[in-house]
Amino acid sequence: MDHLRRPHFGKSHSHDKKDKDGRRESSLGRPVARSIKLDMVVESPPVLFLDSPQHSSGSLFSGRMQLAVTSALPTTIKSFTLAFRATTSTKRPVGDHCKDCSSKSNDIKEWKFLADNAELATGNHDFPFSYLIPGHLPTTSHGHIGSIDYKLFARAETANGEVVEYVRPVVINRAIRPGNDKNSVRIFPPTNLTLNVTLPSVIHPIGDFPVYARMSGITTKKEDTQIRWRLRKLTWRIEEQEKFVSPACPKHMAKVGGEGRGIMHEHTRDIGSDDLKSGWKTDFADGQLEGEFMASIDSGLKPQCDVDSPSGLKINHVMVLELVIAEEWAPNKKPNQATPTGAARVLRTQFNINVTERSGMGIAWEDEQPPLYEDIPASPPGYRNEIDNYDGSELNEDVDQLRLS
Ligand SMILES: [Zn+2]
């Protein structure tokens, strides 16, 4: 029996256990005399919400809180509580170095295991608990400005004033299950160019994904000659966009103009990119080009999944495409004898992408629920597609080489 019990009783929790009473006594140089110990056994799989905050049915967390009376005599417990606590914190507090501006916690769920000076015998006492963590909660996130963390926080106090605390972080992930690929169309007036892009409905922080692109309208034919655009370079970039509204504590509320207000901070970074100079097929007779390439997020950059929290943190992602196209001229009778005109343009556009964890990490609580159907999404918002003159030296060199050959 002892070998079964030892992992629960003998384990060190120097990182997440704070024994206030013990620490105080140590600092006074007296021996630590504790009569109770806390520990936790988690019985449920890692917390994974399936589907969007609007449609997720949450994730069941279950475990046992363990209170061990280590003294030889029974101990009187004044109170023994457990809380599921959400903490939103920021590196950009309204009041400089103000703890209350930097971090805000609230207890979403509380358990009162013992109260009213309950007497506990020497030995271990189990307190089972379970909680269906609501699926609308924002997931654990660690942005550059704001963070969301969850923990289970237990506190026991004996009748003679000994306080023991136990903290267990709970990581909440979300997996949006993949649906049909998303097709998007972008036009670039005044040109005739139309760009069709197909992206997966969800993208994961680890692993690559295919991007299919087709551009039509690249050839404009006149009576004897044709003008056409040749794709010289394609650059893709995945941007992580973070917004955080820093709230103010009561002391610093005047700084933001009153209660319920805050200061908006924004941070954008690239979490994946590449330049492609080949890999597509060009058909000038048909007036279109197409190709597929693999893109990925650099998992070493600690990418965050999409999150939109009422507590002020929002992280979303876009894929930015830049296509450098060069104009060339050719006689219709000899379309292969093309001459670059020297004109070049950059087409720039972007697509919302949904970065989410893979499903199947834990037991799917939802799979026992009736299926949920999402509404057909409304048309995506209009994007500003840009066309710029291209004056990159890189391409000009290429053009020169073409002329020489
Ligand atoms: Zn403050």
Side-chain angles (χ1 to χ4, degrees):
M1 194 58 203
D2 195 45
H3 70 283
L4 284 176
R5 289 169 60 174
R6 192 174 292 133
H8 301 317
F9 295 114
K11 215 157 67 177
S12 161
H13 287 277
S14 55
H15 288 297
D16 48 21
K17 203 176 190 179
K18 282 177 190 163
D19 186 334
K20 278 184 180 170
D21 209 46
R23 203 165 49 195
R24 182 164 51 83
E25 291 196 358
S26 302
S27 66
L28 292 172
R30 297 210 309 263
V32 178
R34 281 176 296 187
S35 58
I36 55 171
K37 270 186 182 178
L38 295 181
D39 207 343
M40 183 187 289
V41 177
V42 176
E43 289 164 343
S44 49
V47 179
L48 180 70
F49 293 161
L50 281 182
D51 299 322
S52 66
Q54 294 77 27
H55 294 94
S56 178
S57 55
S59 180
L60 187 69
F61 189 99
S62 62
R64 277 177 290 134
M65 208 54 225
Q66 295 184 318
L67 192 158
V69 175
T70 53
S71 61
L73 296 169
T75 299
T76 306
I77 306 294
K78 193 176 161 192
S79 67
F80 179 27
T81 58
L82 176 68
F84 183 67
R85 185 167 291 177
T87 302
T88 301
S89 48
T90 179
K91 292 173 190 164
R92 307 280 295 274
V94 172
D96 286 343
H97 310 296
C98 173
K99 264 189 180 177
D100 294 331
C101 284
S102 301
S103 173
K104 204 175 174 185
S105 293
N106 66 304
D107 293 345
I108 299 170
K109 169 80 180 166
E110 285 170 290
W111 293 263
K112 285 192 171 79
F113 293 132
L114 293 173
D116 302 327
N117 294 325
E119 192 164 283
L120 285 188
T122 304
N124 192 37
H125 304 269
D126 273 12
F127 298 85
F129 66 93
S130 69
Y131 179 44
L132 178 59
I133 303 175
H136 66 81
L137 289 181
T139 48
T140 301
S141 306
H142 298 124
H144 265 61
I145 311 163
S147 288
I148 297 168
D149 290 285
Y150 296 92
K151 63 188 171 196
L152 282 158
F153 176 78
R155 185 180 187 277
E157 186 175 352
T158 64
N160 55 19
E162 182 186 344
V163 174
V164 176
E165 292 177 353
Y166 176 93
V167 177
R168 177 110 178 191
V170 177
V171 175
I172 298 182
N173 283 310
R174 183 183 302 282
I176 311 266
R177 284 180 279 196
N180 293 332
D181 287 349
K182 285 196 287 190
N183 301 304
S184 307
V185 180
R186 301 285 186 267
I187 54 170
F188 300 90
T191 71
N192 296 322
L193 297 170
T194 301
L195 180 67
N196 285 267
V197 170
T198 304
L199 286 160
S201 63
V202 293
I203 282 152
H204 307 299
I206 297 171
D208 52 9
F209 59 93
V211 181
Y212 169 80
R214 180 166 58 85
M215 192 156 71
S216 56
I218 61 172
T219 307
T220 305
K221 279 187 183 171
K222 291 176 186 168
E223 210 168 298
D224 297 322
T225 61
Q226 54 183 264
I227 291 282
R228 60 212 201 179
W229 293 105
R230 185 183 289 275
L231 178 61
R232 302 303 305 272
K233 190 170 83 164
L234 185 154
T235 302
W236 62 264
R237 197 154 51 78
I238 298 170
E239 260 184 32
E240 187 171 272
Q241 303 174 340
E242 178 183 355
K243 282 181 187 163
F244 185 78
V245 181
S246 293
C249 74
K251 208 174 112 191
H252 291 109
M253 215 166 267
K255 273 190 151 186
V256 295
E259 199 178 346
R261 292 174 184 237
I263 295 174
M264 161 89 88
H265 296 287
E266 291 183 68
H267 182 265
T268 297
R269 62 173 183 149
D270 289 349
I271 54 168
S273 65
D274 201 7
D275 285 343
L276 306 171
K277 291 190 172 171
S278 61
W280 48 84
K281 280 183 218 156
T282 305
D283 184 344
F284 287 123
D286 206 22
Q288 63 176 13
L289 61 89
E290 66 175 342
E292 189 176 83
F293 60 90
M294 299 305 284
S296 62
I297 291 172
D298 183 348
S299 54
L301 294 173
K302 292 184 182 167
Q304 299 297 301
C305 287
D306 286 25
V307 70
D308 190 357
S309 167
S311 63
L313 178 65
K314 183 177 182 184
I315 297 176
N316 65 286
H317 299 84
V318 295
M319 166 160 272
V320 180
L321 288 188
E322 282 183 9
L323 294 91
V324 177
I325 51 172
E327 192 186 53
E328 54 186 42
W329 173 93
N332 284 342
K333 283 180 182 171
K334 293 176 182 172
N336 292 331
Q337 293 185 3
T339 311
T341 66
R345 300 279 187 276
V346 187
L347 309 179
R348 197 175 288 117
T349 186
Q350 63 179 44
F351 307 88
N352 281 335
I353 54 174
N354 203 343
V355 178
T356 179
E357 294 293 346
R358 283 172 201 278
S359 54
M361 274 166 56
I363 292 167
W365 168 253
E366 264 88 346
D367 286 352
E368 292 166 16
Q369 307 288 313
L372 298 159
Y373 296 98
E374 283 195 41
D375 296 327
I376 295 163
S379 302
Y383 291 99
R384 203 172 136 245
N385 305 319
E386 293 174 7
I387 307 181
D388 288 341
N389 287 325
Y390 185 81
D391 56 0
S393 57
E394 204 179 347
L395 182 71
N396 291 338
E397 282 165 21
D398 288 351
V399 172
D400 286 340
Q401 281 167 18
L402 268 180
R403 277 172 180 158
L404 290 169
S405 62

